[in-house]
Amino acid sequence: LAKTTQPISMDSYEGQEVNITCSHNNIATNDYITWYQQFPSQGPRFIIQGYKTKVTNEVASLFIPADRKSSTLSLPRVSLSDTAVYYCLVVISSGSARQLTFGSGTQLTVLP
Amino acid sequence: DVKVTQSSRYLVKRTGEKVFLECVQDMDHENMFWYRQDPGLGLRLIYFSYDVKMKEKGDIPEGYSVSREKKERFSLILESASTNQTSMYLCASSTPIGLAGDTDTQYFGPGTRLTVL
């Protein structure tokens, strides 16, 4: 069973870049990492997903180093509305079987 | 927009009651999932389904069962509710990974907060 580890909480100030790291067992080249954002009383919402190296979209970047033992979600210039819990999800495929493991979540608090 | 709906936002039941949590998605997704979310533990997978009438156990299936009679609907059943099943229950759906590189993004419902007294 894959195990993922995230920091429990992080604080930042508006306008700063925030990096949240998820540590996990080695994953294969076809396994992917997904990050979700969750606000209180809502279900998680997709932010970004990637297999390797670096992926960037309009809200975040995802970095996966060569050893694939971790991944980092990068949020550029955070605002107060980015205060939320962030989860990484590791999906490991083995033939037709898939194993889904969420991290325990990181509470990001953005301060004015 | 993908829409995943859950039958109740809040539910209060008594120990020993049979509880049904319903989830419906409107995007013709093949995959559907049930998670429970508890403080400090994140999301834990209870059951998932890749097709109608198909189900697979997740990490914590004990005390739960599921039903998928139609593609759009996935039900979680607590045969005899217990106090340790008090939790937030989240349903999600996704399309499978395809040759075109579909990324199996999960879309979540708003959750059902179940309290078992």
Side-chain angles (χ1 to χ4, degrees), chain A residues 1 32 34 36 38 41-46 49 51 87 89 91 93 96 98 100-105, chain B residues 9-10 31 33 35 37 40-43 45 48 50 59 90 97 101-106 108-110:
Chain A
L1 184 68
Y32 56 91
T34 310
Y36 291 84
Q38 187 178 27
S41 301
Q42 295 184 23
R45 186 179 67 171
F46 172 86
Q49 184 177 70
Y51 288 82
Y87 291 95
L89 168 65
V91 181
S93 299
S96 59
R98 284 153 74 231
L100 291 77
T101 305
F102 272 93
S104 55
Chain B
R9 292 301 303 271
Y10 300 94
N31 305 331
F33 308 81
Y35 296 88
Q37 183 174 35
L41 298 177
L43 284 81
L45 182 63
F48 58 99
Y50 291 139
D59 299 327
L90 288 160
I97 298 173
D102 292 339
T103 53
D104 195 30
T105 299
Q106 294 189 40
F108 285 84

Side-chain angles (χ1 to χ4, degrees), chain B residues 15-27:
Chain B
T15 301
E17 282 192 81
K18 189 169 186 176
V19 181
F20 292 88
L21 302 182
E22 304 285 344
C23 175
V24 177
Q25 50 94 4
D26 66 358
M27 283 300 292

Side-chain angles (χ1 to χ4, degrees), chain B residues 6-106:
Chain B
Q6 296 183 227
S7 51
S8 305
R9 292 301 303 271
Y10 300 94
L11 205 54
V12 180
K13 295 291 182 181
R14 295 204 174 273
T15 301
E17 282 192 81
K18 189 169 186 176
V19 181
F20 292 88
L21 302 182
E22 304 285 344
C23 175
V24 177
Q25 50 94 4
D26 66 358
M27 283 300 292
D28 202 34
H29 284 170
E30 285 82 358
N31 305 331
M32 296 189 74
F33 308 81
W34 273 107
Y35 296 88
R36 64 177 282 175
Q37 183 174 35
D38 301 287
L41 298 177
L43 284 81
R44 294 181 291 166
L45 182 63
I46 305 172
Y47 267 98
F48 58 99
S49 169
Y50 291 139
D51 203 351
V52 175
K53 296 191 185 295
M54 178 274 180
K55 59 186 178 184
E56 292 284 345
K57 292 180 180 179
D59 299 327
I60 52 164
E62 297 79 19
Y64 304 94
S65 62
V66 291
S67 172
R68 186 133 183 235
E69 296 296 320
K70 294 184 178 181
K71 190 175 184 180
E72 68 271 17
R73 187 180 298 270
F74 192 34
S75 302
L76 180 69
I77 303 157
L78 287 66
E79 293 289 342
S80 178
S82 62
T83 54
N84 63 12
Q85 292 179 309
T86 292
S87 185
M88 169 69 83
Y89 289 89
L90 288 160
C91 174
S93 72
S94 72
T95 53
I97 298 173
L99 295 177
D102 292 339
T103 53
D104 195 30
T105 299
Q106 294 189 40

